[in-house]
Amino acid sequence: MTMSEILVPPKKPRQYAKERKDAIDNSIERVAELREDRNSGALGDEVIKMAQALILCTLPYRPTEERQVVRTARLSDGSTLRVTFTAGLTGVDMAYGNDRDLMAWLFDKAINSETAFVTIRNATEYLRETGKQRNGDRVKELAARLRRLSGLVIGIERRGETTTRTMMLPMIASSNLPHNLTLQLEAENNGQKALPGLENAFGIQLEERFFQDIKRHHVAIPRRLWLQLQGQKGGPTMKDLLTFFVYRCYCAQRETVIPWAGLKEQFPQDDSNPRRLKANVKKAIKQLRILWPEVRIDAIEEGVWVAKAPMPLLPDDPSKKRVRRLDMTPA
């Protein structure tokens, strides 16, 4: 045995099965805490309004060289929603992964303020409101996300029994952002409200037709649930599945089955294990039942069975902005 082997003990092999189990147990424990808040009424104090189309059809989970991605979903009234994502700026990659958390934050601010222009008061407003660490790396990451979203073009097609409505438009019509958000962070740390010469408010201007679409077609979920899902173990799929099931179980009015093939069209399938989707669906349903015991949902051989719950996750309350404006006929 060499001297280095004596001084440096060998590394213990990682226990991946135990790590996965611990992560699941921790997620279940956090959901149980949200259940207590639901029972007390505190869970509904704040909601975040998310674009319906982007709950049903998601961005890629990982960086991709593709310039166009298509997702398809069948709505509860039998109509079909198809969303085409296109990277519209030369040299700017397709938006992906947690870019959609920033997108949801921007949409919620726009809907609540009832204006298509979203002011970004400083470099770290988003980080502060979403509980993320405030440092230079996070700010650089935020700048990259804003850049990708600024180039994102979205095509939305809603096909009913007799008509088809389409829109093809950029998500962000224009933006006014500093070249270096890290310099803005340094200015804030030095007590400056803004960099010299940049006192005008930074922000982004949503395309007006897109803004009207998300005002008309959005879904409200508890903000605390949304924040917790950002740290959800099991990857982006778990986050998207839980968000989708909360929406889908809310609008269910009768028994229906979402086929497995339909779920595969909605959510990216870049996992090497084809069984992972079904496993994640079962985990998401388990957590949803803890949070919402009255929910009626199950994974069956044909797909995901959903029926009307005798009690909603949160009762509508206009005074607390807990109103879900769905202009479709639920099923």
Side-chain angles (χ1 to χ4, degrees):
M1 180 178 292
T2 66
M3 182 62 69
S4 62
E5 290 174 324
I6 295 174
L7 296 177
V8 181
K11 292 183 178 179
K12 294 182 179 180
R14 289 184 63 180
Q15 298 178 313
Y16 292 100
K18 183 178 184 302
E19 290 178 10
R20 286 194 295 269
K21 181 180 183 302
D22 289 345
I24 292 173
D25 290 344
N26 289 336
S27 296
I28 290 175
E29 183 177 341
R30 289 194 295 269
V31 171
E33 292 174 358
L34 293 180
R35 160 86 175 274
E36 294 178 3
D37 288 340
R38 182 199 181 218
N39 292 342
S40 69
L43 184 62
D45 287 342
E46 288 188 275
V47 296
I48 183 166
K49 298 181 177 71
M50 305 178 69
Q52 181 203 77
L54 300 178
I55 286 180
L56 297 170
C57 300
T58 64
L59 288 166
Y61 289 152
R62 297 176 178 86
T64 177
E65 295 182 357
E66 292 186 51
R67 306 297 293 174
Q68 190 172 85
V69 174
V70 180
R71 303 275 184 250
T72 302
R74 181 169 294 277
L75 303 185
S76 55
D77 63 351
S79 62
T80 300
L81 172 72
R82 178 175 296 171
V83 178
T84 302
F85 300 103
T86 303
L89 290 177
T90 301
V92 179
D93 292 336
M94 170 73 70
Y96 69 92
N98 290 333
D99 291 357
R100 64 196 186 287
D101 292 335
L102 174 57
M103 197 176 346
W105 180 79
L106 292 170
F107 294 165
D108 182 64
K109 288 180 70 69
I111 294 170
N112 285 331
S113 63
E114 298 187 352
T115 174
F117 184 78
V118 179
T119 300
I120 300 177
R121 295 185 179 87
N122 53 54
T124 56
E125 182 182 12
Y126 166 70
L127 303 178
R128 182 179 64 252
E129 292 189 5
T130 55
K132 291 181 171 60
Q133 186 177 357
R134 185 177 182 270
N135 57 42
D137 289 341
R138 287 286 191 180
V139 174
K140 290 179 182 178
E141 183 181 81
L142 172 62
R145 296 192 191 287
L146 283 168
R147 179 69 170 159
R148 287 191 291 270
L149 293 180
S150 295
L152 186 62
V153 179
I154 299 179
I156 300 176
E157 178 182 353
R158 288 189 171 88
R159 181 184 296 272
E161 290 185 4
T162 58
T163 61
T164 298
R165 290 183 294 153
T166 63
M167 287 193 303
M168 191 71 183
L169 37 85
M171 188 187 80
I172 296 176
S174 61
S175 63
N176 176 35
L177 299 168
H179 289 163
N180 193 329
L181 286 174
T182 303
L183 292 179
Q184 175 68 18
L185 173 63
E186 292 174 357
E188 294 168 24
N189 289 338
N190 292 330
Q192 294 175 261
K193 292 183 178 180
L195 291 171
L198 292 176
E199 287 80 11
N200 293 332
F202 299 127
I204 58 100
Q205 178 77 39
L206 296 179
E207 206 282 339
E208 184 62 32
R209 288 172 299 163
F210 183 72
F211 174 57
Q212 294 301 325
D213 187 78
I214 63 174
K215 282 179 63 178
R216 185 179 184 186
H217 302 279
H218 71 259
V219 179
I221 70 168
R223 183 177 289 270
R224 283 196 59 201
L225 175 60
W226 177 72
L227 289 172
Q228 179 179 302
L229 290 179
Q230 293 189 49
Q232 177 70 263
K233 299 296 183 181
T237 309
M238 282 292 290
K239 177 195 302 185
D240 289 336
L241 285 171
L242 272 165
T243 305
F244 170 64
F245 289 154
V246 167
Y247 152 75
R248 191 61 184 80
C249 292
Y250 168 81
C251 66
Q253 294 297 309
R254 55 181 173 81
E255 292 188 23
T256 187
V257 174
I258 307 166
W260 292 115
L263 287 174
K264 290 179 181 179
E265 289 184 335
Q266 288 182 237
F267 303 106
Q269 296 303 306
D270 54 2
D271 196 313
S272 59
N273 186 346
R275 299 178 181 176
R276 193 91 66 192
L277 176 63
K278 292 185 179 181
N280 281 334
V281 163
K282 292 177 181 178
K283 292 176 185 176
I285 290 174
K286 181 178 181 180
Q287 293 192 35
L288 185 59
R289 284 173 173 165
I290 294 172
L291 174 64
W292 186 1
E294 303 88 356
V295 73
R296 300 181 67 196
I297 182 172
D298 201 2
I300 61 176
E301 183 178 353
E302 296 81 7
V304 178
W305 171 85
V306 177
K308 183 178 181 179
M311 182 180 297
L313 175 62
L314 295 176
D316 281 348
D317 185 344
S319 68
K320 293 184 178 180
K321 298 183 178 179
R322 290 204 313 249
V323 179
R324 304 184 184 196
R325 293 176 293 184
L326 303 177
D327 67 340
M328 65 179 69
T329 302

